[in-house]
Amino acid sequence: MADKSSSNAYWAANISMIRISLIIWFIVSFGFGIILRPMLAGIKIGGTDLGFWFAQQGSILVFLVLIFAYAARMNKLDREHGVEE
Amino acid sequence: MDQFTLNLVVVGATFALYFGIAIWARAGSTSEFYAAGRGVHPVLNGMATGADWMSAASFISMAGLIAAVGYDNSAYLMGWTGGYVLLAMLLAPYLRKFGKFTVPEFIGDRFYSNTARLIAVVCLIVASITYVIGQMSGVGVAFSRFLEVKASTGLYIGAAVVFAYAVLGGMKGITYTQVAQYVVLIIAYTIPAIFISITLTGNPIPPLGLFSEHTASGMPLLEKLDQVVTDLGFGKYTGHTDTTLNMFLFTMSLMIGTAGLPHVIVRFFTVPKVSDARSSAGWALVFIALLYLTAPAVGAMARLNLIDNIYPQGAQSDPIDYEARPDWMKNWEVTGLLKFEDKNGDGKIQFYNDKSEAFKATAEGKGWAGSELTVNNDIMVLANPEIANLPGWVIALVAAGGLAAALSTAAGLLMAISSAISHDLIKGTLNPGISEKGELLAARIAMGVSIAVATWLGLNPPGFAAQTVALAFGIAAASLFPAILMGIFSKRINSAGAITGMLAGLGVTLVYIFLHKGWFFIAGTNSFTDADPLFLSIKSTSFGAVGALVNFVVAYVVSNATEEPPLEVQELVESIRIPKGAGAATGH
């Protein structure tokens, strides 16, 4: 097992990545797709508004980017802290 | 070759393929039966997870529900994809590091309590059986159409096929078969969508077609759709009619339910490394997104085509005569899932929103006496290629795809149920000395019983396939997800907290669902309906998020009022947080 201080720093870094990712996750789906949709109503896209697009397509595309970015960033973090398999 | 024979040939060929793979990869040891010996590449695992995940609810039902309601049902799209972000970051890598076979095993070890493990088994079984009921109604719809029988007969045939299929192979059979099933279902889903998108918009990519111009009218497709549906008294397709609170909670329930459903989580036990667990979630979402980006286009275009079929001169003119109805309507009338009733006796098919007060005067002015066509939402995707006049082989392919989706998920769920019973309940608690052979037999009996119960309840399902499945997500969201999450991210939550939390979350959610859907889903025993729900206009399908909140709060309060977990459990939590040292799983 890695030493305690290194694994604490590793965990803190992981938590901060998760926090940033989940804030984006929340904004694109619950935010743009649902709660903030009336505010985006002025931005037209293909016969409807941007909020509708985020609810039906945009959020899914952002989710994909979030997961792969997180996976890549964590692989780097694993190596930096010497906790990779 | 007529359509019936063509259906049989295509569906038969795909089935032969799945059974062939299942027999070829037949499970030998218990380790293979549950977790496929851990040798599955992340991309293949992602594809299999996609097939496992995309059930009759996604394939057959979801686009139909989006078609019927429009924007509000975007909750399905965001909910059933957004959960993968939670899985990849909050659960999958740590559960892989933990390295056991089942979710109850994790809960039992982390909360150092056999009671916790048993409660997790109960949560898992309740969520999974509810899910299988939804699958069964989807299977029933698919079989009834392509064998041209009543929906109930289709259901019995489907149940027999699911049983034969799931009992034959274990996880290994399922992993490779599911890759094949993914390929079949994604081709079946996208080909008709491409055809229809080209016909309506000229754009061969359906997700882009959805936001393109409708060739026939020169208007944007969604604007055209808003216009024709409002002409018939329905709400605007892109409009928001549900409450924002309900839509928010519904989306949240589906997301955290995704991350809490044992048959999905268990897939991440089968990847070789912790880092693979993270990327597997990403690959799964890539394959899922191919269908989920197509679904809203399928829904919108199907709705437009349906209305266009009934009102060929435009929604403000007269509908067609019943005698002149297209063949697809005749085909679906056989199943009983599409019904025509000539209320005003004029021989024409009036199809409109007869529940709209605002539209009442218009309808009466035209001499309409109520909407005369009832279309079950679950038939939209399967009927879609027929409505659009696509060639027979496309229709057969869609039937095969729908069955692939339903079968793969039903099999995955039955695996989760049977391993919870044989591995966690019997081997883990009741009879630890059971032989491998006895364990496998118990697993198979559990599968058989689950199918029987789900089939019986599937005859009178609590909703359309996707709605029933949404209830299963609510249950998983309220019970398992909070316990697993807190088990990883908090060292302070102890066994008393987890146990009371799970019981409170599961209890409050089940009571709320049963009050609206009937006790134990038995029709007619409900006190409320989702049209007029009990609490703050929250529908029963959305209540899982509230149940999860109850679970978190109870677990937190109870844990803080009782003693800390023992030191070795805190060390266990430390160790699952770092990837280093993840070996092969041990369950024995």
Side-chain angles (χ1 to χ4, degrees):
Chain A
M1 200 189 202
D3 67 275
K4 198 89 176 172
S5 63
S6 165
S7 85
N8 280 345
Y10 169 79
W11 188 245
N14 180 18
I15 294 287
S16 91
M17 290 246 315
I18 292 175
R19 186 177 301 130
I20 296 166
S21 305
L22 290 188
I23 289 172
I24 300 172
W25 164 85
F26 188 87
I27 290 176
V28 294
S29 51
F30 295 98
F32 296 162
I34 303 176
I35 302 165
L36 303 175
R37 186 180 172 205
M39 287 170 62
L40 301 175
I43 308 170
K44 293 292 168 201
I45 164 171
T48 181
D49 53 78
L50 192 63
F52 184 90
W53 180 79
F54 265 105
Q56 301 221 323
Q57 285 183 5
S59 53
I60 299 175
L61 297 172
V62 177
F63 296 154
L64 276 173
V65 174
L66 281 176
I67 296 180
F68 282 109
Y70 175 76
R73 195 70 191 74
M74 283 307 285
N75 286 345
K76 196 160 159 263
L77 207 61
D78 288 352
R79 282 192 300 276
E80 282 170 9
H81 290 265
V83 294
E84 80 275 21
E85 292 151 86
Chain B
M1 206 188 298
D2 66 355
Q3 187 62 47
F4 184 72
T5 326
L6 198 57
N7 287 344
L8 280 184
V9 169
V10 174
V11 173
T14 55
F15 269 52
L17 178 70
Y18 311 146
F19 278 109
I21 295 175
I23 290 164
W24 166 69
R26 203 165 168 180
S29 71
T30 42
S31 159
E32 278 179 6
F33 190 79
Y34 295 130
R38 243 165 252 283
V40 186
H41 188 271
V43 175
L44 278 186
N45 193 53
M47 216 182 252
T49 309
D52 209 343
W53 174 245
M54 290 187 290
S55 59
S58 298
F59 188 99
I60 298 176
S61 190
M62 185 176 68
L65 288 176
I66 296 172
V69 178
Y71 164 76
D72 285 338
N73 274 346
S74 306
Y76 288 104
L77 297 165
M78 290 185 282
W80 282 342
T81 53
Y84 277 83
V85 178
L86 302 179
L87 258 177
M89 295 175 193
L90 303 179
L91 307 185
Y94 317 108
L95 291 176
R96 171 61 194 91
K97 171 65 194 294
F98 174 69
K100 295 278 179 74
F101 285 126
T102 68
V103 170
E105 220 166 2
F106 171 73
I107 290 183
D109 283 10
R110 164 60 184 86
F111 298 110
Y112 48 98
S113 153
N114 253 334
T115 315
R117 185 169 176 178
L118 285 183
I119 293 170
V121 170
V122 172
C123 298
L124 185 155
I125 291 173
V126 175
S128 303
I129 295 249
T130 309
Y131 203 143
V132 180
I133 300 170
Q135 296 312 305
M136 284 300 172
S137 36
V139 172
V141 173
F143 270 106
S144 66
R145 169 63 191 93
F146 96 86
L147 294 176
E148 296 173 13
V149 292
K150 282 253 176 263
S152 51
T153 318
L155 182 62
Y156 295 130
I157 298 171
V161 173
V162 169
F163 179 76
Y165 176 76
V167 170
L168 246 183
M171 193 77 176
K172 186 169 180 185
I174 289 173
T175 302
Y176 289 107
T177 324
Q178 283 181 334
V179 172
Q181 281 165 333
Y182 176 79
V183 175
V184 170
L185 80 85
I186 200 67
I187 292 174
Y189 203 83
T190 45
I191 284 188
I194 291 169
F195 271 123
I196 293 167
S197 182
I198 292 174
T199 319
L200 287 180
T201 69
N203 194 321
I205 302 167
L208 298 178
L210 179 63
F211 295 96
S212 306
E213 192 175 274
H214 179 233
T215 324
S217 65
M219 293 163 74
L221 182 92
L222 286 165
E223 230 169 76
K224 173 73 186 167
L225 184 56
D226 274 345
Q227 188 196 60
V228 297
V229 295
T230 46
D231 278 348
L232 296 171
F234 296 103
K236 258 175 104 171
Y237 190 83
T238 59
H240 183 36
T241 42
D242 196 0
T243 65
T244 301
L245 175 69
N246 187 62
M247 188 174 173
F248 180 95
L249 290 176
F250 188 30
T251 310
M252 188 62 92
S253 289
L254 296 178
M255 282 194 187
I256 59 184
T258 299
L261 271 169
H263 78 291
V264 179
I265 298 175
V266 82
R267 295 233 69 107
F268 298 98
F269 290 82
T270 61
V271 293
K273 293 194 299 182
V274 172
S275 56
D276 292 337
R278 300 183 195 119
S279 61
S280 261
W283 282 111
L285 189 57
V286 166
F287 294 116
I288 291 165
L290 285 177
L291 187 143
Y292 273 65
L293 291 171
T294 310
V298 170
M301 291 171 188
R303 180 89 177 265
L304 194 58
N305 274 336
L306 172 70
I307 294 174
D308 195 50
N309 258 234
I310 299 167
Y311 295 91
Q313 314 298 324
Q316 286 175 324
S317 321
D318 273 346
I320 51 165
D321 287 332
Y322 177 66
E323 291 310 319
R325 70 194 184 284
D327 285 340
W328 70 266
M329 284 193 188
K330 294 177 193 160
N331 294 337
W332 281 96
E333 276 173 321
V334 177
T335 64
L337 298 167
L338 181 141
K339 288 190 199 88
F340 170 72
E341 186 197 347
D342 197 358
K343 291 178 181 160
N344 63 353
D346 69 349
K348 292 182 186 296
I349 305 175
Q350 277 95 30
F351 174 65
Y352 68 102
N353 183 8
D354 53 9
K355 293 187 182 65
S356 159
E357 288 300 319
F359 195 69
K360 219 167 197 161
T362 321
E364 277 168 11
K366 293 183 176 186
W368 294 357
S371 186
E372 300 176 342
L373 190 70
T374 321
V375 186
N376 183 310
N377 288 331
D378 281 352
I379 75 170
M380 282 311 274
V381 167
L382 293 171
N384 204 20
E386 299 172 77
I387 298 175
N389 258 323
L390 297 182
W393 63 268
V394 179
I395 298 168
L397 191 61
V398 172
L403 291 172
L407 271 182
S408 59
T409 307
L413 286 162
L414 292 165
M415 273 304 305
I417 296 173
S418 65
S419 59
I421 289 180
S422 65
H423 193 72
D424 292 305
L425 190 66
I426 298 179
K427 193 180 168 76
T429 331
L430 300 180
N431 179 10
I434 192 170
S435 66
E436 278 213 357
K437 218 171 168 186
E439 201 186 335
L440 281 178
L441 180 68
R444 285 174 178 151
I445 293 172
M447 279 185 182
V449 174
S450 314
I451 293 174
V453 171
T455 306
W456 183 65
L457 290 169
L459 287 172
N460 277 305
F464 297 115
Q467 290 170 330
T468 311
V469 166
L471 295 173
F473 280 75
I475 294 165
S479 57
L480 293 170
F481 176 77
I484 306 171
L485 185 72
M486 290 184 291
I488 297 165
F489 285 84
S490 161
K491 287 186 215 163
R492 186 64 187 81
I493 301 296
N494 59 23
S495 64
I499 290 170
T500 48
M502 280 192 286
L503 286 177
L506 178 71
V508 70
T509 308
L510 270 186
V511 167
Y512 198 85
I513 289 174
F514 287 160
L515 280 172
H516 291 77
K517 294 292 183 185
W519 290 89
F520 305 98
F521 299 124
I522 294 166
T525 57
N526 56 315
S527 324
F528 301 90
T529 63
D530 274 340
D532 188 16
L534 168 66
F535 180 62
L536 290 176
S537 81
I538 300 170
K539 295 184 176 137
S540 59
T541 42
S542 315
F543 199 77
V546 180
L549 189 65
V550 170
N551 187 335
F552 278 121
V553 171
V554 169
Y556 181 80
V557 170
V558 171
S559 293
N560 278 302
T562 43
E563 80 289 358
E564 277 192 23
L567 211 58
E568 69 266 21
V569 170
Q570 300 194 29
E571 274 164 12
L572 169 77
V573 176
E574 282 286 342
S575 91
I576 58 172
R577 287 178 177 181
I578 55 166
K580 195 171 190 170
T586 50
H588 304 285

